[in-house]
Amino acid sequence: MPARMYLGRVIGTVVATRKADGLTGVKLLLVQPVDAARRPVGDPIAAADTARAGPGDLVYLTQAREAALALDPSFVPVDAAILGIVDAVEPSR
């Protein structure tokens, strides 16, 4: 199955006093997945931030194995990772 990327809105920060070794120094953000119209879809998730996103940013992220590969070193124990901050979304023609 190919990697799936989707949109989300950063709604908060996750504070963890203990993290797995590979996550030391990695910011964790709370992200609400959204559809193309930016309406909430499903439950918020915690995601490792690789793009220096902040509250209110529209971001694109991935989950599963691809999320673990987004960090250095790869294969750290994460289920979701923010890959970038979205500047604009244009509908398909």
Side-chain angles (χ1 to χ4, degrees):
M1 174 182 264
R4 179 176 170 260
M5 290 192 293
Y6 57 97
L7 296 174
R9 177 85 53 196
V10 177
I11 60 171
T13 302
V14 176
V15 178
T17 55
R18 301 181 114 194
K19 295 181 183 179
D21 292 337
L23 293 174
T24 302
V26 175
K27 183 169 62 169
L28 301 174
L29 296 175
L30 191 61
V31 179
Q32 173 62 60
V34 297
D35 62 16
R38 292 163 198 78
R39 292 180 299 245
V41 177
D43 295 323
I45 59 169
D49 180 25
T50 67
R52 296 185 179 181
D57 283 343
L58 183 64
V59 296
Y60 63 95
L61 45 135
T62 191
Q63 289 186 297
R65 179 173 189 243
E66 289 75 18
L69 292 170
L71 297 165
D72 187 32
S74 59
F75 289 114
V76 294
V78 296
D79 288 331
I82 296 169
L83 302 176
I85 300 170
V86 176
D87 293 321
V89 177
E90 296 185 19
S92 300
R93 293 177 190 218

